[in-house]
Amino acid sequence: MPQAVVLIGSNSLAEVTLPAAEQALCASDTLRVLAVSAVIRTHAVMASGAFDESAPPYHNAAILIETALRPLELRTVLRAIEYSLGRRRIGNTSAAVPIDLDLAVYDDLVLTEGPLILPHPAIERYAFAAVPVAQVAPDWVHPTLGRTYSEIAAEMVAPIHTSRRVS
């Protein structure tokens, strides 16, 4: 059965929404949670790619799952969980984000389909994505870079703070 990595993040009520998102994933009858990373805290990233030190910090983690859902079907499930936890995608990129669930990796699939890009481009650019992915799938090889997620994460330099697990 295919395995995937879901990035979860929040910069508003993270202590409530991150565990709630994990619980929602565990309760889903369409997937099975296999591993959960530690939570890391980073500055928000602006559309330019620069860190926004004036915005509330993000709390990020990754969850390794197993699912028979295809990537776009899984993305739909993730959006439904976000909605149930108060996320409204209204186009305001500076708004507080109670929960963000992004499909980051789906086996070794390389895909660009509408808004879904796999592997998620943030993995090769930001520690907030690379470090949690490496914690749950350290030996997986990025299908276009040819390096493990652990190797990618080890090269990242960013102000991150590891804290407790999601739940």
Side-chain angles (χ1 to χ4, degrees):
M1 186 172 299
Q3 292 184 349
V5 178
V6 176
L7 289 171
I8 67 173
S10 173
N11 72 345
S12 172
L13 303 171
E15 64 282 351
V16 174
T17 57
L18 292 182
E22 180 186 0
Q23 290 168 359
L25 289 168
C26 287
S28 174
D29 59 0
T30 60
L31 56 91
R32 184 169 66 103
V33 172
L34 302 175
V36 181
S37 76
V39 175
I40 62 170
R41 186 170 48 93
T42 62
H43 295 294
V45 176
M46 296 183 291
S48 67
F51 288 101
D52 183 356
E53 296 183 23
S54 66
Y58 264 85
H59 296 78
N60 298 283
I63 298 180
L64 176 64
I65 63 168
E66 183 176 70
T67 183
L69 295 173
R70 299 175 61 90
L72 288 173
E73 295 169 328
L74 179 54
R75 184 175 183 272
T76 298
V77 169
L78 298 176
R79 292 297 179 260
I81 293 170
E82 284 181 345
Y83 192 84
S84 74
L85 295 175
R87 175 77 187 264
R88 301 299 181 263
R89 292 181 177 267
I90 55 174
N92 181 357
T93 58
S94 64
V97 177
I99 192 68
D100 186 31
L101 299 171
D102 288 318
L103 180 55
V105 181
Y106 188 96
D107 279 342
D108 61 355
L109 182 64
V110 176
L111 175 74
T112 300
E113 193 166 330
L116 182 59
I117 300 171
L118 295 173
H120 197 294
I123 295 169
E124 56 190 280
R125 294 183 64 199
Y126 301 110
F128 73 80
V131 171
V133 169
Q135 288 181 4
V136 298
D139 298 324
W140 287 20
V141 176
H142 190 290
T144 60
L145 300 178
R147 298 187 336 241
T148 67
Y149 290 107
S150 288
E151 291 169 335
I152 295 167
E155 294 175 0
M156 297 287 167
V157 177
I160 62 169
H161 308 281
T162 301
S163 63
R164 60 173 168 65
R165 292 183 60 86
V166 172
S167 54

